[in-house]
């Protein structure tokens, strides 16, 4: 379980992320949604430890192996292959690395780009590459910042399935920001709707969609056109 308590991060007079209390049970899959600038990336950066809060804390029940995929991930110089293999950190993940790499390259549709320079990929191809880099290791927590935003529709379905399957197999907790309603409900059980740095709604996808508690939640979901609220 991850417990957030009295968390505050102030960037400017205009923006403070403020979450008094939020608990995420182990193995839960959560979609993080909200308008541009609502604090999705800031929350993911805080949970990953990439940035420190001004106040409050994020408590992990036990030490947990996390992978954080930023909105603009780092691309190493060199080949696609090399860029995926850097995701292998733990000894136990390295044993059948060639087979894993081959399968993932195939899954994300980059087999023929194996030796291509990563810097020469298109935006969508790069996103698929860093997706493979993340999934080549085994992680108990995935923090993904709009991981599929630039990926074509035909690959999206495949990557959504791979991600769901990965979480099921590893018992992985997932927190993923997205702008795509379908993606959120397809992959995730729970929904967090952020509004101006705060959590406006948190609960089961189905329940929130049926019965949002806040006016902002209602307005936001109406935009999504997947609610009668
Ligand atoms: N390093 C920073 N310094 C100052 N302001 C920032 C910084 N990072 C983000 N912000 C501001 O904080 C707000 C929330 O940003 P962000 O968490 O990236 O939103 P989202 O991911 O939901 O679009 C935005 O108004 C953004 O401009
Ligand atoms: Mg963002």
């Amino acid at each position: 379980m991850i417990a957030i308590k009295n968390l505050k991060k102030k960037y400017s007079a205009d923006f403070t992320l403020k979450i008094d209390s939020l608990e995420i049970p182990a193995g839960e899959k959560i979609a993080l949604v909200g308008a541009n600038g609502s604090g999705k990336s800031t929350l993911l950066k805080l949970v990953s430890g990439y940035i420190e809060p001004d106040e409050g804390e994020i408590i992990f029940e036990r030490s947990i192996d996390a992978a954080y995929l930023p909105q603009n991930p780092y691309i190493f110089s060199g080949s696609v292959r090399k860029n995926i293999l850097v995701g292998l950190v733990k000894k136990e993940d390295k044993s059948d690395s060639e087979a894993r790499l081959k399968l993932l390259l195939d899954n994300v549709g980059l087999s023929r780009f194996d030796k291509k320079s990563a810097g020469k990929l298109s935006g969508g191809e790069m996103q698929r590459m860093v997706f493979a880099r993340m999934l080549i290791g085994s992680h108990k927590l995935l923090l993904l910042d709009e991981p599929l935003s630039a990926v074509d529709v035909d690959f999206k379905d495949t990557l959504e399935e791979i991600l769901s399957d990965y979480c099921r197999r590893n018992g992985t907790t997932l927190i993923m920001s997205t702008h795509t309603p379908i993606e959120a409900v397809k992959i995730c059980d729970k929904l967090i709707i952020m509004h101006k740095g705060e959590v406006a709604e948190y609960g089961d996808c189905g329940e929130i969609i049926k019965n949002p508690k806040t006016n902002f939640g209602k307005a936001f979901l109406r935009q999504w056109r997947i609610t009668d609220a």
Side-chain angles (χ1 to χ4, degrees):
M1 186 175 80
I2 304 167
I4 291 177
K5 284 185 185 154
N6 302 317
L7 195 67
K8 255 192 198 172
K9 176 78 187 177
K10 183 172 179 168
Y11 272 137
S12 64
D14 292 332
F15 183 83
T16 304
L17 181 123
K18 185 175 173 298
I19 299 176
D20 295 336
S21 167
L22 183 76
E23 289 188 353
I24 298 171
E28 204 76 74
K29 289 178 282 180
I30 297 178
L32 193 55
V33 303
N36 289 149
S38 58
K40 303 181 295 296
S41 294
T42 305
L43 178 57
L44 287 169
K45 283 177 196 167
L46 285 163
V47 176
S48 70
Y50 186 76
I51 57 171
E52 289 286 324
D54 299 330
E55 285 174 36
E57 52 187 346
I58 302 171
I59 303 156
F60 296 88
E61 203 171 30
R62 58 190 126 78
S63 89
I64 181 171
D65 167 20
Y68 165 53
L69 188 56
Q71 213 163 350
N72 298 301
Y74 190 79
I75 308 294
F76 296 90
S77 68
S79 67
V80 168
R81 177 194 177 78
K82 176 181 155 192
N83 266 274
I84 296 176
L85 285 173
V86 291
L88 285 175
V89 181
K90 287 184 292 183
K91 220 183 196 164
E92 65 265 31
D93 286 344
K94 287 182 184 168
S95 56
D96 50 354
S97 59
E98 261 317 304
R100 285 153 89 98
L101 175 69
K102 197 160 173 289
L103 180 68
L104 272 168
L105 278 166
D106 189 43
N107 284 162
V108 303
L110 291 176
S111 295
R112 66 200 169 91
F113 294 147
D114 182 15
K115 297 192 176 67
K116 186 169 174 157
S117 164
K120 291 187 179 147
L121 297 178
S122 74
E125 287 162 354
M126 273 189 202
Q127 216 170 30
R128 276 146 51 196
M129 178 184 77
V130 294
F131 199 78
R133 176 197 292 166
M134 171 185 72
L135 294 189
I136 201 166
S138 52
H139 307 284
K140 284 290 181 198
L141 173 63
L142 294 182
L143 303 164
L144 315 185
D145 204 347
E146 302 192 26
L148 304 174
S149 59
V151 172
D152 286 338
V153 206
D154 41 338
F155 272 111
K156 244 183 199 170
D157 280 346
T158 315
L159 298 195
E160 284 165 8
E161 269 167 41
I162 298 170
L163 182 59
S164 296
D165 188 54
Y166 176 95
C167 291
R168 206 176 310 122
R169 259 185 300 121
N170 295 291
T172 299
T173 309
L174 170 70
I175 310 177
M176 177 183 83
S177 71
T178 175
H179 279 288
T180 317
I182 301 285
E183 200 175 289
V185 293
K186 245 163 87 182
I187 302 177
C188 300
D189 322 306
K190 292 205 169 169
L191 200 59
I192 291 177
I193 304 180
M194 299 286 297
H195 179 47
K196 295 185 177 168
E198 299 190 22
V199 173
E201 306 265 349
Y202 174 42
D204 289 338
C205 285
E207 262 167 49
I208 291 183
I209 287 167
K210 238 190 289 164
N211 190 20
K213 291 191 192 79
T214 63
N215 285 334
F216 179 78
K218 275 179 205 159
F220 186 81
L221 289 167
R222 215 176 289 129
Q223 251 182 326
W224 270 18
R225 297 178 210 289
I226 53 168
T227 178
D228 302 328

